[in-house]
Amino acid sequence: MTDFFGDIAPIRYEGPDSRNEFAFRHYDADAVIAGKTMREHLRFAVAYWHSFAWEGGDPFGGRTFDRPWYPQDTMEAMRVKADAAFEMFRILGAPYFCWHDLDVRPEGASFAESRDRLFEWVDYVQPKMKETGVKCLWGTANMFTHKRFMSGAATNPDPDVFAYAAATVKSCIDATHRLGGENYVLWGGREGYETLLNTDMGRERQHYGRFLQMVVEYAKKIGFAGTILIEPKPQEPSKHQYDYDVGTIYGFLKDFGLEGEVKLNIEQGHAILAGHSFEHELHLARQLGILGSIDMNRNDYQSGWDTDQFPNNVPEVALAYYEILKNGGLGTGGTNFDAKVRRQSIDPEDLILSHVGGMDVCAAGLKAAAAMLKDGELEKALTERYAGWDGEAAKTMLSGDLEQAAARVEAENLDPQPRSGRQERLENLVNRYVG
Amino acid sequence: MTDFFGDIAPIRYEGPDSRNEFAFRHYDADAVIAGKTMREHLRFAVAYWHSFAWEGGDPFGGRTFDRPWYPQDTMEAMRVKADAAFEMFRILGAPYFCWHDLDVRPEGASFAESRDRLFEWVDYVQPKMKETGVKCLWGTANMFTHKRFMSGAATNPDPDVFAYAAATVKSCIDATHRLGGENYVLWGGREGYETLLNTDMGRERQHYGRFLQMVVEYAKKIGFAGTILIEPKPQEPSKHQYDYDVGTIYGFLKDFGLEGEVKLNIEQGHAILAGHSFEHELHLARQLGILGSIDMNRNDYQSGWDTDQFPNNVPEVALAYYEILKNGGLGTGGTNFDAKVRRQSIDPEDLILSHVGGMDVCAAGLKAAAAMLKDGELEKALTERYAGWDGEAAKTMLSGDLEQAAARVEAENLDPQPRSGRQERLENLVNRYVG
Amino acid sequence: MTDFFGDIAPIRYEGPDSRNEFAFRHYDADAVIAGKTMREHLRFAVAYWHSFAWEGGDPFGGRTFDRPWYPQDTMEAMRVKADAAFEMFRILGAPYFCWHDLDVRPEGASFAESRDRLFEWVDYVQPKMKETGVKCLWGTANMFTHKRFMSGAATNPDPDVFAYAAATVKSCIDATHRLGGENYVLWGGREGYETLLNTDMGRERQHYGRFLQMVVEYAKKIGFAGTILIEPKPQEPSKHQYDYDVGTIYGFLKDFGLEGEVKLNIEQGHAILAGHSFEHELHLARQLGILGSIDMNRNDYQSGWDTDQFPNNVPEVALAYYEILKNGGLGTGGTNFDAKVRRQSIDPEDLILSHVGGMDVCAAGLKAAAAMLKDGELEKALTERYAGWDGEAAKTMLSGDLEQAAARVEAENLDPQPRSGRQERLENLVNRYVG
Amino acid sequence: MTDFFGDIAPIRYEGPDSRNEFAFRHYDADAVIAGKTMREHLRFAVAYWHSFAWEGGDPFGGRTFDRPWYPQDTMEAMRVKADAAFEMFRILGAPYFCWHDLDVRPEGASFAESRDRLFEWVDYVQPKMKETGVKCLWGTANMFTHKRFMSGAATNPDPDVFAYAAATVKSCIDATHRLGGENYVLWGGREGYETLLNTDMGRERQHYGRFLQMVVEYAKKIGFAGTILIEPKPQEPSKHQYDYDVGTIYGFLKDFGLEGEVKLNIEQGHAILAGHSFEHELHLARQLGILGSIDMNRNDYQSGWDTDQFPNNVPEVALAYYEILKNGGLGTGGTNFDAKVRRQSIDPEDLILSHVGGMDVCAAGLKAAAAMLKDGELEKALTERYAGWDGEAAKTMLSGDLEQAAARVEAENLDPQPRSGRQERLENLVNRYVG
């Protein structure tokens, strides 16, 4: 193995009072809560992308990190990187990882070479996966970094780019399938526009829908049993991204008959960019039956771009897991840290400790959410608030027409009186579990 | 007639060089452009709501206006208000007006009295409409001001409020129908939530969808031939509003089988609040076949709430009308100024001149849009950009599968090269018409 | 006393495990922490404004509350309101309250009558204050609701409004002084503009600065020993407010020689509107020596207006009190809840419980902050990070010139290497106290 | 010369009706307007940074451009780049250019080598400047890209970085001086923080102030007669940047006695990020006497990051130049396009035409602004609005005290009545010039 992380030992659970920063205070993987172990509930995944491929640059600055696998343009670097990645998975006790093709292998001189390199990486990590027990949560294709995708992948004005994207996704699904991946993700970072002046959204939307259908058909054909996920994000790098948010994607899926085939990978930071709270997006996806997986990384509330920070606010995270528990869990999905250490966090230790902190925040949030659900007071308040709708009169009204409803208003001289929404009391109640 | 507006004479077109602020410099109602008169294209409407019912208050301040129809709680005040409103329509030469029930009559002691008062207003204005030729663009129900609607109308946890809302909408459609209104609008200002903690979005969404179906069914039943419109807005006054934006509403309509029955009334300011440009929302609605009407009032780009200002930026307005012209016009819809003079604009003249300015900005925008469309350079650039998709190979690819596309990539060793998106050149081109 | 709050007994501390929503779980007023009781640290104040004067309206809705002191336009209503207010202070055990003139008495027919009514209220509550021991944290003048102030108070284009504002502030300082108020606050909700087109910021800024000088001079003259505070807010209701944020106000105070005379009352929600975190504004004010008092009410991160909600996120609040503790406390200032229950929270119980929750969140935050400070790990990390600046070489460099610094770079061939900023590790550390 | 731009001829003025995209429709350099030629008013500058150093990357994508001077890591590339740059200046007829050290020369192995390379570039371009007549508007140091500056330059926790920054700025001022540059700019992209947890703003602010003093002192010492400018920006890449906006910087300058020494280079996009309109920042800087120069590049109103687009909205630009004209021009400052073509605008023609469009928009805006000022109606309305303040009574009041003002209110029973702010009428008036 590599000695990149020095002598950092695997992280252990030491309980809430531990002052050891290399220990979990909340994440006790084998502890059972709400009928499952925390490992099973949380299904943590580390992202190759941010932790191993990103070099610490930003729009105004070059790389700050110094890693033994730089420059990342050789297959040997790929191996060194994979060694370090699996060492980190082991140290963290992370059961899953996620990847883009470009994270794990350098671009080749041709499509075929790029694909072959991807499969070479598959061959390289399969023994590591077997040895460590670490599994693939999902794979995905990076169709946003290379300049060929600058005007879109499936929505490119050039049909050859659509073809290239199709070939790319095929190879990535193949690789995911070979790795036993439990999901396949699509993030359309360039499926959108910079200016409407050069864009035909109608046409691009049709291509995008057809592309997604082709992906679903191919996954079925090869027997890939995982879930196909798409990931909402409203903008950045593009001015507008078609997969704007949960509500928008739902209409898109309905249009192409995919609402039963595709679920969503929802990221806290992307929800914020779209003007929503994370729990809103999770709640809506749950109600629409399309909640699939989560990227557990926050955005800064005062910054208008995607900061991809590790979660650190337990009360917020608790509300997210509350929705997930009400969804009956995430199925094949999991909790991926699509988070990056800050550009100034250049030490290998920062990589480890950022994940330790994030995992602990999630574990604390899950515990609070489970307690809220078990106590049932929030649910009880909700049931009582809507109790009127469980009566026969309400059901009759819904199956009737406007005139019947209006007639009743007059016949009974209805004058409905407002009832307190009790928001602050419910907020206080939540604080009983997280405060 | 009232002398509220003093001796302001009807506004006439005097051409671009006029320095008379009581004249149009661009809006020449009978001038033909792109095959129709400007009157027919623009279909201007004045909103009773902001111009006659709003009293100049804001969250931190009381009313600043002083109108002869204050206080607005008697039927006599209703008549004085209507007199002034029609005088303004006449001065402006506005072909249409729009109204909420609460704008035009005070709330009664019972639902029946409220409804009777509404019809009394209908009786009062019908002769005025006949006399002036001013028509009703749309009517709507105010289901957000009264405290009974504080937790929603159709989405209220109390089914009696749903009933009350049903009765209210029925009465407003009836009134609109009697007035020969060309559309009926629903704006769900309280159909949303303040906190998810007391909200079951799944349940509320079902009630909301059923309500809209009932509205559509009733309109058909009574032979109302106008268009049913709903109006996107993401938030304010609520934290989240279900009719978030065009994309979200589309999915909602699909879910309830209403995408062929209901269109959208899109407001510039609401688009901004949702993180979109106005032209984006219009473009998307056009492509989805649900563009119905517009509220032509801008928000301030630096303020995070709904400022409802008159439009004043011709380049922006031109891009909006460009979408509308490409849509073949607005059908039964029109250009409604859901705009209010600023709280400090307390003079009757301000009411007139704000509309004159807004109408002129729209007229200038329309002329620019028509010229852009006639010249065809923007369209030509678009056609060229997507030309590859018109070929047989592209069509074959779309009807094929992922493997076929991938096979072609390898067989032809495809390496698609980026082509300039030419954004700045297109922006320069637009400025040829508006700058 | 009134029976408005029914039989709600004074709220007691019952400890973290209490499930009684009418109890404190964290606020133990007499418990000593970091050398003072929690009462002394937190100095809680209830705002007359939001809790007793606001009626539950919003820009789209009328009042939802039903209080025995409505309508608020008589002196009898003033007394009923005061009775209820003092009952609530007693129930909560709140040591302070805050008020605007318009909260506590109806506007009179003349300035003199308005002032006399204010003093009549002073006479009415003084015995209550004596009896209950509740004190006045600060008073202020509402110079934003009445239409005379629509274009500003001290910055109005009409000098008579400046005079009226001067008279108003004089009367409010007088009243505050008589009540033994510990501070006097100015919030310039209309000191700003709606459009630059009708605004001369230079002139208005001069008037504003002079006005503030006159206020300071008058306070001194009458022997008012309290602190004069101004309150930053960037916008709303105006498009731009001159007291934008801490940094802006600092420059303004310097310009008028007031940086030693005036401090700031900083509100979390206003910080958010200005694009800052609350802790940023507190930190900056602390470093500039102008931190005076706080309004502890949050804004919703997804809403673009001032939502004035009770605090509910302990980790955020902890960072705020950490700055306050490092400031050596708030001096004569305190923790005012300039917060309002939601428009749907119409029950008297909501008023009580919203404050109970807010007080408890602050107490929990304070405890966490005190523990952070006591442990000293955050401070130690900070000291180490800047240790280089404590050396002689650094001091020499600062007192030298550019050439000397440059010469050393070349002489020593300096090539400074980056060191990790350790952000995630510090965030983890904070979570040890709040998570 | 290079043939990078092919056979594009110098851009000529052809008048508003020209349909030649390689012509100016508004910018007629030698045409006199408001007493000066347009060239003298506008003082256009091209930015080396965005046009020649930036390679088309974004946070999610690699470079899209293909330039003969890539890779930019040799001195030969520096020369090729300079050749192309001067060719573009010539084609555009741009009288000025601006540069960062890192734009014009590759980083050396040591500070000394970096500096020597900078001077080598100076030597290389001086003959070109002489030959073409193109001058240096300003130079600046890039102290944000290299990882040594990741935690700040002058505000770095490591004093050696302060020294390195001092040496860097010295070399850049020296170079600017040798080039006859008319200003020297500082933009503190890393002078701010990512997290308050590791930041002592008080200490960093002191270092920053001292640094700026040292810069001013050095400039004087060497006889650099140009203006020292700092550039406001609120955030990005950092979470918070100390030079937040005009108001904040003013307080900072006052604190360090620099308000008479340093002026501001104000960028439209940065104003937007700080929550201000561009005209607000210009107006405030004008009133405070610190308006120095402008970066004329807009941000997208729907994107939360710095998009640095060419200006394209004439009405907005007109309001900016209106402030500049009222300032008596920009002195040594100018109109710099700190704008970049979009990532998809990969053709050399895009570079030319984006500037042509931007220059034309500025010229159109200037013409409108000059007409507004000449007609004087806006100014007249302003004068009338504040006329009350020109009277003796108002002056007496300002030099009096609170009690005197209050006494007059009572003596005269003052009840000031609101007067219309006439916002919409003034907006209509502006549209007379730009619509």
Side-chain angles (χ1 to χ4, degrees), chain C residues 109-112 115 146-148 150-151 154-164 166-167 169-170 173 193-205 207 210-211 214-215 217-218 221-222 235 239-240 244-245 247-248 250-252 254-255 274-277 279-280 283-284 287-288 319 323 378 382 385-390 394 397-403 405-406 408-410 413-423 426-427 430, chain D residues 109-112 115 146-148 150-151 154-164 166-167 169-170 173 193-205 207 210-211 214-215 217-218 221-222 235 239-240 244-245 247-248 250-252 254-255 274-277 279-280 283-284 287-288 319 323 378 382 385-390 394 397-403 405-406 408-410 413-423 426-427 430:
Chain C
S110 65
F111 172 78
R115 183 209 47 210
H146 195 281
K147 68 180 177 180
R148 80 171 58 87
M150 75 178 193
S151 306
T155 64
N156 201 292
D158 180 353
D160 281 358
V161 179
F162 181 106
Y164 202 100
V169 170
K170 178 184 175 300
I173 295 180
Y193 63 79
E194 282 302 312
T195 177
L196 271 176
L197 295 178
N198 68 12
T199 304
D200 181 332
M201 279 177 68
R203 197 155 198 169
E204 296 201 357
R205 198 169 173 276
H207 299 165
R210 178 60 197 136
F211 188 87
M214 289 163 75
V215 169
E217 290 158 10
Y218 180 70
K221 180 172 177 188
I222 64 168
Q235 56 172 11
K239 172 175 168 58
H240 178 83
Y244 200 79
D245 59 7
T248 299
Y250 181 69
F252 171 72
K254 294 274 292 184
D255 238 12
H276 305 300
S277 68
E279 57 268 27
H280 168 88
H283 182 120
L284 181 57
Q287 297 278 14
L288 297 172
L319 293 177
E323 292 294 337
L378 270 175
L382 206 59
R385 193 165 188 244
Y386 291 91
W389 285 100
D390 298 326
M397 177 170 67
L398 282 184
S399 58
D401 63 26
L402 218 56
E403 287 170 294
R408 190 167 69 87
V409 169
E410 292 206 42
N413 197 17
L414 277 189
D415 183 18
Q417 296 304 307
R419 299 174 207 158
S420 174
R422 297 189 158 200
Q423 178 167 338
L426 295 171
E427 290 172 351
V430 169
Chain D
S110 66
F111 173 77
R115 184 209 47 209
H146 195 280
K147 68 180 178 181
R148 78 171 61 86
M150 75 177 194
S151 307
T155 64
N156 201 292
D158 180 354
D160 281 358
V161 179
F162 182 107
Y164 202 99
V169 169
K170 177 183 177 300
I173 296 180
Y193 63 79
E194 281 303 311
T195 177
L196 270 175
L197 296 179
N198 67 14
T199 304
D200 182 332
M201 279 176 68
R203 197 157 200 170
E204 295 199 0
R205 199 168 172 277
H207 299 165
R210 177 61 197 135
F211 188 87
M214 289 161 76
V215 169
E217 291 157 10
Y218 180 71
K221 180 171 177 187
I222 65 169
Q235 56 173 11
K239 171 175 169 59
H240 178 83
Y244 199 78
D245 59 7
T248 300
Y250 180 69
F252 171 72
K254 294 274 292 184
D255 239 13
H276 305 300
S277 68
E279 58 268 27
H280 168 88
H283 182 121
L284 181 57
Q287 297 277 16
L288 297 172
L319 294 177
E323 293 294 339
L378 270 174
L382 206 59
R385 193 167 188 242
Y386 291 92
W389 285 100
D390 297 325
M397 178 171 66
L398 281 185
S399 58
D401 62 26
L402 219 55
E403 287 171 295
R408 190 169 68 88
V409 169
E410 293 207 40
N413 196 18
L414 277 189
D415 183 20
Q417 295 304 308
R419 298 175 207 157
S420 174
R422 297 189 157 197
Q423 179 167 338
L426 295 171
E427 290 171 351
V430 169

Side-chain angles (χ1 to χ4, degrees), chain D residues 98-327:
Chain D
C98 302
W99 54 271
H100 298 81
D101 51 355
L102 190 59
D103 305 341
V104 298
R105 57 95 189 113
E107 179 89 7
S110 66
F111 173 77
E113 188 182 27
S114 293
R115 184 209 47 209
D116 291 346
R117 287 175 169 190
L118 177 62
F119 293 150
E120 188 178 336
W121 168 78
V122 168
D123 293 337
Y124 187 74
V125 296
Q126 275 181 323
K128 292 175 180 287
M129 291 171 65
K130 193 165 181 189
E131 176 195 332
T132 58
V134 177
K135 293 183 286 186
C136 171
L137 185 66
W138 46 258
T140 190
N142 176 327
M143 302 197 294
F144 45 89
T145 296
H146 195 280
K147 68 180 178 181
R148 78 171 61 86
F149 299 119
M150 75 177 194
S151 307
T155 64
N156 201 292
D158 180 354
D160 281 358
V161 179
F162 182 107
Y164 202 99
T168 301
V169 169
K170 177 183 177 300
S171 70
C172 288
I173 296 180
D174 289 341
T176 303
H177 194 35
R178 287 184 49 195
L179 291 171
E182 304 190 15
N183 307 270
Y184 183 80
V185 168
L186 296 106
W187 175 63
R190 303 284 173 196
E191 316 293 16
Y193 63 79
E194 281 303 311
T195 177
L196 270 175
L197 296 179
N198 67 14
T199 304
D200 182 332
M201 279 176 68
R203 197 157 200 170
E204 295 199 0
R205 199 168 172 277
Q206 288 302 319
H207 299 165
Y208 198 29
R210 177 61 197 135
F211 188 87
L212 191 54
Q213 288 171 334
M214 289 161 76
V215 169
V216 168
E217 291 157 10
Y218 180 71
K220 285 184 181 169
K221 180 171 177 187
I222 65 169
F224 176 72
T227 309
I228 305 293
L229 298 166
I230 59 177
E231 178 165 333
K233 187 177 179 185
Q235 56 173 11
E236 200 212 15
S238 61
K239 171 175 169 59
H240 178 83
Q241 201 162 316
Y242 297 138
D243 300 331
Y244 199 78
D245 59 7
V246 171
T248 300
I249 291 177
Y250 180 69
F252 171 72
L253 293 179
K254 294 274 292 184
D255 239 13
F256 292 91
L258 293 168
E259 69 273 29
E261 307 285 350
V262 172
K263 290 191 170 167
L264 303 197
N265 182 38
I266 300 175
E267 175 172 321
Q268 195 260 12
H270 297 176
I272 298 302
L273 282 181
H276 305 300
S277 68
F278 192 25
E279 58 268 27
H280 168 88
E281 289 289 79
L282 296 172
H283 182 121
L284 181 57
R286 170 170 71 83
Q287 297 277 16
L288 297 172
I290 54 175
L291 173 53
S293 196
I294 61 170
D295 275 2
M296 186 46 104
N297 37 289
R298 68 183 169 98
N299 270 11
D300 183 285
Y301 286 117
Q302 282 86 47
S303 305
W305 60 94
D306 201 15
T307 62
D308 281 329
Q309 294 176 258
F310 284 86
N312 72 347
N313 191 292
V314 173
E316 290 180 357
V317 167
L319 294 177
Y321 282 107
Y322 189 67
E323 293 294 339
I324 290 166
L325 289 175
K326 288 177 76 169
N327 195 57

Side-chain angles (χ1 to χ4, degrees), chain A residues 109-112 115 146-148 150-151 154-164 166-167 169-170 173 193-205 207 210-211 214-215 217-218 221-222 235 239-240 244-245 247-248 250-252 254-255 274-277 279-280 283-284 287-288 319 323 378 382 385-390 394 397-403 405-406 408-410 413-423 426-427 430, chain B residues 109-112 115 146-148 150-151 154-164 166-167 169-170 173 193-207 210-211 214-215 217-218 221-222 235 239-240 244-245 247-248 250-252 254-255 274-277 279-280 283-284 287-288 319 323 378 382 385-390 394 397-403 405-406 408-410 413-423 426-427 430:
Chain A
S110 66
F111 173 78
R115 184 209 47 210
H146 194 281
K147 68 180 177 179
R148 78 170 61 86
M150 76 178 193
S151 306
T155 64
N156 201 292
D158 180 352
D160 281 357
V161 179
F162 182 107
Y164 202 99
V169 171
K170 178 184 175 298
I173 296 180
Y193 63 79
E194 282 302 313
T195 176
L196 269 176
L197 296 179
N198 68 15
T199 304
D200 182 332
M201 279 175 68
R203 198 158 198 168
E204 295 200 359
R205 199 169 173 275
H207 298 165
R210 178 60 196 136
F211 188 87
M214 288 162 75
V215 169
E217 289 158 9
Y218 180 70
K221 181 172 175 188
I222 64 168
Q235 55 173 8
K239 171 173 169 58
H240 178 83
Y244 200 78
D245 60 6
T248 300
Y250 181 69
F252 172 71
K254 294 275 293 185
D255 238 14
H276 306 300
S277 67
E279 58 267 28
H280 169 88
H283 183 120
L284 181 56
Q287 297 278 15
L288 296 172
L319 293 178
E323 293 293 338
L378 270 175
L382 206 59
R385 193 167 188 242
Y386 291 91
W389 285 100
D390 297 326
M397 177 171 67
L398 283 185
S399 58
D401 62 27
L402 218 56
E403 287 170 293
R408 189 167 71 87
V409 169
E410 292 207 41
N413 197 17
L414 277 188
D415 184 18
Q417 296 304 307
R419 298 173 208 160
S420 173
R422 298 190 156 199
Q423 179 167 338
L426 295 171
E427 289 172 351
V430 169
Chain B
S110 66
F111 172 78
R115 183 209 48 209
H146 195 280
K147 70 179 177 180
R148 78 170 61 85
M150 76 178 194
S151 306
T155 64
N156 201 290
D158 179 353
D160 281 358
V161 178
F162 182 107
Y164 202 99
V169 171
K170 178 183 175 301
I173 297 180
Y193 63 79
E194 282 302 313
T195 176
L196 269 177
L197 296 179
N198 69 13
T199 304
D200 182 333
M201 279 176 69
R203 198 157 198 169
E204 295 200 357
R205 198 169 174 274
Q206 288 301 317
H207 299 165
R210 178 58 196 137
F211 188 87
M214 289 162 75
V215 168
E217 290 157 10
Y218 180 70
K221 182 172 176 188
I222 65 168
Q235 55 172 11
K239 171 174 169 58
H240 177 84
Y244 199 79
D245 59 7
T248 300
Y250 181 69
F252 171 72
K254 294 276 292 186
D255 238 13
H276 306 300
S277 67
E279 58 266 29
H280 168 88
H283 183 121
L284 182 56
Q287 296 278 15
L288 296 173
L319 293 177
E323 293 293 337
L378 271 174
L382 206 60
R385 192 166 189 242
Y386 291 92
W389 286 100
D390 297 325
M397 179 171 66
L398 283 184
S399 58
D401 62 27
L402 219 56
E403 286 170 294
R408 190 167 70 87
V409 169
E410 293 208 40
N413 196 17
L414 278 188
D415 183 20
Q417 296 304 307
R419 297 173 209 162
S420 173
R422 298 188 156 200
Q423 179 166 338
L426 296 171
E427 290 171 351
V430 169

Side-chain angles (χ1 to χ4, degrees), chain C residues 175-231:
Chain C
T176 303
H177 194 34
R178 287 184 49 194
L179 291 172
E182 303 189 16
N183 309 268
Y184 183 80
V185 167
L186 296 107
W187 175 63
R190 303 283 174 197
E191 315 294 17
Y193 63 79
E194 282 302 312
T195 177
L196 271 176
L197 295 178
N198 68 12
T199 304
D200 181 332
M201 279 177 68
R203 197 155 198 169
E204 296 201 357
R205 198 169 173 276
Q206 288 302 319
H207 299 165
Y208 199 29
R210 178 60 197 136
F211 188 87
L212 191 54
Q213 288 171 335
M214 289 163 75
V215 169
V216 168
E217 290 158 10
Y218 180 70
K220 284 186 180 167
K221 180 172 177 188
I222 64 168
F224 176 71
T227 309
I228 304 293
L229 298 166
I230 58 176
E231 179 166 333

Side-chain angles (χ1 to χ4, degrees), chain A residues 4-143:
Chain A
F4 177 66
F5 291 105
D7 55 358
I8 300 176
I11 308 300
R12 306 287 176 211
Y13 173 72
E14 296 187 359
D17 298 329
S18 172
R19 294 178 65 93
N20 174 8
E21 65 175 345
F22 287 91
F24 294 120
R25 296 187 305 112
H26 297 287
Y27 181 56
D28 185 5
D30 295 312
V32 173
I33 183 174
K36 288 194 285 193
T37 63
M38 293 181 82
R39 183 186 293 107
E40 290 164 330
H41 275 293
L42 291 164
R43 298 170 60 84
F44 284 128
V46 172
Y48 234 91
W49 163 243
H50 277 132
S51 289
F52 301 100
W54 182 61
E55 301 188 347
D58 68 23
F60 294 84
R63 76 173 172 84
T64 57
F65 301 160
D66 191 16
R67 307 293 193 225
W69 55 90
Y70 293 173
Q72 304 187 55
D73 57 0
T74 65
M75 288 306 286
E76 175 55 22
M78 170 278 279
R79 284 183 289 271
V80 176
K81 178 160 56 171
D83 292 349
F86 275 81
E87 184 170 348
M88 187 162 102
F89 307 156
R90 186 184 56 83
I91 291 171
L92 293 172
Y96 290 99
F97 70 100
C98 302
W99 54 273
H100 297 82
D101 50 357
L102 191 59
D103 306 340
V104 299
R105 56 96 189 111
E107 180 88 7
S110 66
F111 173 78
E113 189 182 28
S114 293
R115 184 209 47 210
D116 291 345
R117 287 174 168 189
L118 177 62
F119 294 150
E120 189 179 334
W121 168 77
V122 168
D123 292 337
Y124 187 74
V125 296
Q126 275 181 323
K128 292 175 179 287
M129 291 171 66
K130 194 165 180 189
E131 179 195 331
T132 58
V134 177
K135 292 183 286 185
C136 169
L137 185 65
W138 46 257
T140 189
N142 176 327
M143 302 196 297

Side-chain angles (χ1 to χ4, degrees), chain B residues 102-124:
Chain B
L102 190 59
D103 307 340
V104 298
R105 56 96 189 115
E107 180 89 5
S110 66
F111 172 78
E113 188 181 29
S114 293
R115 183 209 48 209
D116 291 346
R117 287 174 167 190
L118 177 63
F119 293 150
E120 189 179 334
W121 167 78
V122 168
D123 293 338
Y124 188 74

